[in-house]
Coordinates of all heavy atoms in Angstrom, one line a residue:
G36 N 24.6 12.9 -15.3 CA 26.1 12.8 -15.2 C 26.6 12.7 -13.8 O 27.8 12.9 -13.6
G37 N 25.7 12.6 -12.8 CA 26.2 12.5 -11.4 C 25.1 11.9 -10.6 O 24.1 11.4 -11.1
K38 N 25.4 11.8 -9.3 CA 24.5 11.2 -8.4 C 23.1 11.9 -8.3 O 23.1 13.1 -8.3 CB 25.1 11.1 -6.9 CG 26.1 10.1 -6.7 CD 26.5 10.0 -5.3 CE 27.5 8.9 -5.1 NZ 28.0 8.9 -3.7
C39 N 22.1 11.1 -8.2 CA 20.7 11.6 -8.0 C 20.2 11.2 -6.6 O 20.3 10.0 -6.2 CB 19.8 11.0 -9.0 SG 20.3 11.5 -10.7
Y40 N 19.7 12.2 -5.9 CA 19.2 11.9 -4.6 C 17.6 12.1 -4.6 O 17.2 13.2 -4.8 CB 19.7 12.9 -3.5 CG 21.2 12.8 -3.4 CD1 22.1 13.4 -4.3 CD2 21.8 12.0 -2.4 CE1 23.5 13.3 -4.2 CE2 23.2 11.9 -2.3 CZ 24.0 12.6 -3.2 OH 25.4 12.5 -3.1
L41 N 16.9 11.0 -4.6 CA 15.5 11.0 -4.6 C 14.9 10.8 -3.2 O 15.2 9.8 -2.6 CB 14.9 9.9 -5.6 CG 15.4 10.0 -7.0 CD1 14.9 8.8 -7.8 CD2 15.1 11.3 -7.7
H42 N 14.1 11.8 -2.8 CA 13.5 11.7 -1.5 C 12.0 11.4 -1.6 O 11.4 11.6 -2.6 CB 13.6 13.1 -0.7 CG 15.1 13.5 -0.6 ND1 15.9 13.0 0.4 CD2 15.8 14.4 -1.3 CE1 17.1 13.5 0.3 NE2 17.1 14.4 -0.7
N43 N 11.4 10.9 -0.5 CA 10.0 10.6 -0.5 C 9.6 9.4 -1.4 O 8.5 9.4 -2.0 CB 9.1 11.8 -0.7 CG 7.7 11.7 -0.2 OD1 7.5 11.0 0.8 ND2 6.7 12.3 -0.9
C44 N 10.6 8.5 -1.6 CA 10.3 7.4 -2.5 C 9.5 6.3 -1.6 O 9.9 6.0 -0.5 CB 11.6 6.7 -3.0 SG 12.5 7.8 -4.0
P45 N 8.4 5.8 -2.2 CA 7.7 4.8 -1.4 C 8.4 3.4 -1.4 O 9.2 3.1 -2.3 CB 6.4 4.7 -2.2 CG 6.7 5.0 -3.6 CD 7.9 6.0 -3.5
S46 N 8.1 2.7 -0.3 CA 8.7 1.3 -0.2 C 7.7 0.3 -0.9 O 6.7 0.0 -0.2 CB 8.9 1.0 1.2 OG 9.3 -0.3 1.4
L47 N 7.9 0.0 -2.1 CA 6.9 -0.8 -2.9 C 7.7 -1.8 -3.7 O 8.8 -1.6 -4.1 CB 6.1 0.1 -3.8 CG 5.3 1.3 -3.2 CD1 4.8 2.2 -4.3 CD2 4.2 0.7 -2.4
S48 N 7.0 -2.9 -4.1 CA 7.7 -3.9 -4.8 C 8.1 -3.4 -6.2 O 9.1 -3.8 -6.8 CB 6.9 -5.2 -4.9 OG 5.7 -5.0 -5.5
D49 N 7.3 -2.5 -6.8 CA 7.7 -2.0 -8.1 C 9.0 -1.1 -8.0 O 9.8 -1.0 -9.0 CB 6.6 -1.1 -8.7 CG 5.6 -1.9 -9.5 OD1 5.7 -3.2 -9.5 OD2 4.7 -1.4 -10.2
V50 N 9.1 -0.5 -6.9 CA 10.4 0.3 -6.7 C 11.5 -0.7 -6.5 O 12.6 -0.4 -7.0 CB 10.2 1.3 -5.5 CG1 11.5 2.0 -5.2 CG2 9.1 2.3 -5.7
D51 N 11.3 -1.8 -5.8 CA 12.3 -2.8 -5.7 C 12.7 -3.3 -7.1 O 13.9 -3.5 -7.4 CB 11.9 -4.0 -4.9 CG 11.4 -3.6 -3.5 OD1 11.8 -2.6 -3.0 OD2 10.7 -4.4 -2.8
T52 N 11.7 -3.5 -7.9 CA 12.0 -4.0 -9.3 C 12.9 -3.0 -10.1 O 13.8 -3.4 -10.7 CB 10.7 -4.4 -10.0 OG1 9.9 -5.2 -9.2 CG2 11.0 -5.0 -11.4
S53 N 12.5 -1.8 -10.0 CA 13.3 -0.7 -10.7 C 14.7 -0.7 -10.1 O 15.7 -0.5 -10.9 CB 12.6 0.7 -10.5 OG 11.4 0.7 -11.0
E54 N 14.8 -0.9 -8.8 CA 16.2 -0.9 -8.2 C 17.0 -2.1 -8.8 O 18.2 -1.9 -9.2 CB 16.1 -1.0 -6.7 CG 17.4 -1.1 -6.0 CD 17.3 -1.4 -4.5 OE1 16.2 -1.2 -4.0 OE2 18.4 -1.8 -4.0
R55 N 16.3 -3.2 -9.0 CA 17.0 -4.4 -9.6 C 17.4 -4.1 -11.0 O 18.5 -4.5 -11.4 CB 16.1 -5.6 -9.4 CG 16.2 -6.2 -8.0 CD 15.1 -7.2 -7.7 NE 15.0 -8.3 -8.6 CZ 13.9 -8.9 -8.9 NH1 12.7 -8.5 -8.3 NH2 13.9 -9.9 -9.7
I56 N 16.6 -3.4 -11.7 CA 16.9 -3.1 -13.1 C 18.1 -2.2 -13.2 O 19.1 -2.5 -13.9 CB 15.7 -2.4 -13.8 CG1 14.6 -3.4 -14.0 CG2 16.1 -1.8 -15.2 CD1 13.3 -2.8 -14.6
L57 N 18.1 -1.2 -12.3 CA 19.3 -0.2 -12.3 C 20.6 -1.0 -11.9 O 21.6 -0.8 -12.5 CB 19.0 0.9 -11.3 CG 18.0 2.0 -11.8 CD1 17.7 3.0 -10.7 CD2 18.5 2.7 -13.0
R58 N 20.5 -1.8 -10.9 CA 21.7 -2.6 -10.5 C 22.1 -3.5 -11.6 O 23.3 -3.6 -11.9 CB 21.4 -3.5 -9.3 CG 21.3 -2.7 -8.0 CD 21.1 -3.6 -6.8 NE 20.7 -2.9 -5.6 CZ 21.6 -2.3 -4.8 NH1 22.8 -2.3 -5.1 NH2 21.1 -1.7 -3.7
H59 N 21.2 -4.2 -12.3 CA 21.5 -5.0 -13.4 C 22.3 -4.3 -14.5 O 23.2 -4.8 -15.1 CB 20.3 -5.7 -14.0 CG 20.5 -6.4 -15.2 ND1 20.9 -7.8 -15.2 CD2 20.4 -6.1 -16.5 CE1 21.1 -8.2 -16.5 NE2 20.8 -7.2 -17.3
L60 N 21.9 -3.0 -14.7 CA 22.5 -2.2 -15.7 C 23.9 -1.7 -15.3 O 24.7 -1.2 -16.1 CB 21.6 -1.0 -16.0 CG 20.3 -1.3 -16.7 CD1 19.4 0.0 -16.7 CD2 20.5 -1.9 -18.1
G61 N 24.2 -1.9 -14.0 CA 25.5 -1.5 -13.5 C 25.5 -0.3 -12.6 O 26.6 0.2 -12.1
C62 N 24.4 0.3 -12.4 CA 24.3 1.5 -11.5 C 24.5 1.2 -10.1 O 24.2 0.0 -9.6 CB 22.9 2.2 -11.5 SG 22.5 2.9 -13.1
S63 N 25.0 2.1 -9.3 CA 25.0 1.9 -7.8 C 23.7 2.5 -7.3 O 23.4 3.6 -7.6 CB 26.3 2.5 -7.3 OG 26.0 3.3 -6.2

Side-chain angles (χ1 to χ4, degrees):
K38 280 190 182 174
C39 298
Y40 299 82
L41 301 177
H42 302 282
N43 200 32
C44 299
S46 173
L47 301 170
S48 60
D49 272 7
V50 177
D51 299 342
T52 306
S53 298
E54 177 185 344
R55 280 162 58 208
I56 291 174
L57 287 173
R58 284 184 193 281
H59 172 84
L60 295 170
C62 294
S63 126

